[in-house]
Amino acid sequence: MDGKTLPVRAIGTPLDRFDGPAKVTGTARYAFEHPVDRPVYLFGVQATVAVGRITAVHTEVALAKPGVLAVLTHENAPRVASFDDPELVILQTPEVAYRGQFVAGVVAETSEIARLAASMIRVDYEAGPHDVQLRADHPDRYAPEVTNGGFATDSVRGDPEAALADAAVRLDATYTTAWYQHAQLEPHSTIAEWADDRLTLHVGSQGVHRLRDSLATLFGLDLERIRAVSPHVGGAFGGKLHAHPDVVLAVLAAFAVPGRPVKLALTRQQMFSQVGYRTPTVQRVRLGAGRDGRLVAISHEVVQQTARHKEFAEQTVTPTRVMYAAPNRSTTHRMVRLDVPVPTIMRAPGKAPGMYALESAMDEMAIACGQDPVEFRIANEPPLDPELDRPFSTRNLVACLRDGARRFGWAGRDPTPGVRRAAGGWLVGTGVAASMYPVYQLPGSSATIRAEPDGRYVVSIGAADLGTGTWTSLTQIAADALAVPVDRIVLRIGDTDLPAAMSAGGSSGMTSWGSTVVEAARRLRARMAAEHADPPAHGIEASADMPANPERERFSMYAFGAQFAEVRVHEATGEVRVPRMLGVFAAGRIINPKTGRSQLLGGMTMGLSMALHEQCVLDPRFGHVVNQDLAEYHIATNADVGCVEVHTLVEEDPYVNPMGSKGIGELGIVGTAAAIANAVHHATGVRVRDLPITPDRFFSGATAIRG
């Protein structure tokens, strides 16, 4: 820490990331980089049919290759103990559920030999008919029992159909979002070793204890026989929250070559079928309002896909249940089982696609009512949580909208679309949308703090750092809880040998881990006060589980934000550029303003990428994504991102947790795509309801740009 004097009060200080030097010098080890003795390498063979049955696997040529140690197939792979999670049950039966499924794996002395030998394996199939295309009118759509996170599938209050029929102003529009891939920088990687009757994993994971539990169930092992280690993760966005087939393949290979560490790193192409994605959605939003612009009815329906062999139901319409006041309201989720890989959690699950549709519809409705989009949202603020009829712990959406409008220069905005031009044939527009994200506090975390005689405090908790700053912000929380400078804290995370911790998901890490660390610190200070003025020679420690928060039964807890965007659309080519974005967020007490700003800025950039670039293109003939690399799956780069301003309001929320903090990792992406889409309409007069907003959207009949 460069010998600088560090503040005793650490929370709220914009400290540099403590893991930064290790990362920029290359000494921070990610999963595949961990040094092991005599490693071997694994490469997977993938199914080339979307549905079918393996009739034969020809491995003779591959096995004859010098350096090949084993070829695993459904005929010889070690058996699993549980079939409860169909996604993880690989190489156990000849059945093929989707194109790209692992059907074999080659273990060899080098990665080059493993990959070459894998290409020599020939698999014969009896293919069956497949269905891989999502349609809103699909005859097999159904209602799931519950959606991800335990949210109810449907909700209804009042009589929305009657209210919509009687409304003075009505909107009925359908919006679609694409099939998105996490595209994190670090591909899924694992080192698995079975030695001395214990399985050791070095793996990129958002939660090593969750991963260990899944593998223990799958293989019928006691928890003590599995250790998972993940001190650094090179990006995840939800894709590394659950176990996926890649880590199972690595464990199967480790069992096949005991005593040799097995190294597996998925290729970028394999990532598109092995480790989940965000489901595409078709969303119908209906709004009804009176002549005064007050909403009288809201209806939000979504149809989205899941895999035929395992259900994952994203909670897409849940934001609509809490965002705006209307006495009559309904939301529904409908799923379609298709012959595709299993979807999974992706940054702001449900909120990112759901708020795109809702906030686009709110813009359309504001225009239909003849009102300013900012004022229309403010006019429809609910006094209580519209679903639960209880107060919000804090709800500063109006303050975010007001402050954002002031900073962005919204006042005096001409609402007329398609009339502002810049030099070079560019049409100019501005748009706004709201952001929201719940404050989750998830159970399952424990922490131990040990006071050493040299004045240091060792804080142990199995938390994760996805590159978001956990190493720094959790140290800040511990320092303040112990009333010592941050350089007295030694943080240990990312290992199942540490006290169990819930996974990094739902922007809940600091709320859950931080609350646990604060409680452990309280107990340690109480013990030291009662037993020792100073730590004894052997040290002294205290442990705690995450305490319950009784205020959660009294209040609805959310973070809010307002997103503003300026876009330019070329009237001849349809190219869209975003020279300026501005976000204002109310997210409780910010633990570290520097890392916090980085998280919000990154989320807004990801939202821009969602709006303009990202889309997995499916070939319905063969059932696979064809743009399986970062050359063809387009994501925003530096050249696509102009000026991005991030501002946070001072918000005191004493009810959420001891720190007063709220999650921000996902808040930034929510609302960004809608703000850009709304700005595109303001620039062109063309309402694009299907993401991504590519140039072809502007030149199709009635929606064409009129020069």
Side-chain angles (χ1 to χ4, degrees), residues 213-237:
D213 293 350
S214 296
L215 295 177
T217 299
L218 181 67
F219 290 104
L221 296 173
D222 293 336
L223 293 177
E224 294 73 20
R225 297 173 68 191
I226 303 175
R227 182 188 181 193
V229 183
S230 183
H232 301 287
V233 182
F237 308 119

Side-chain angles (χ1 to χ4, degrees), residues 36-60:
V36 291
D37 294 330
R38 301 174 62 240
V40 296
Y41 297 84
L42 172 63
F43 196 87
V45 178
Q46 297 174 268
T48 57
V49 298
V51 174
R53 183 179 180 86
I54 299 169
T55 58
V57 185
H58 305 279
T59 63
E60 299 83 2

Side-chain angles (χ1 to χ4, degrees), residues 185-199:
L185 186 61
E186 179 197 29
H188 286 236
S189 304
T190 305
I191 302 176
E193 182 176 11
W194 178 251
D196 299 325
D197 208 32
R198 193 182 194 208
L199 177 65

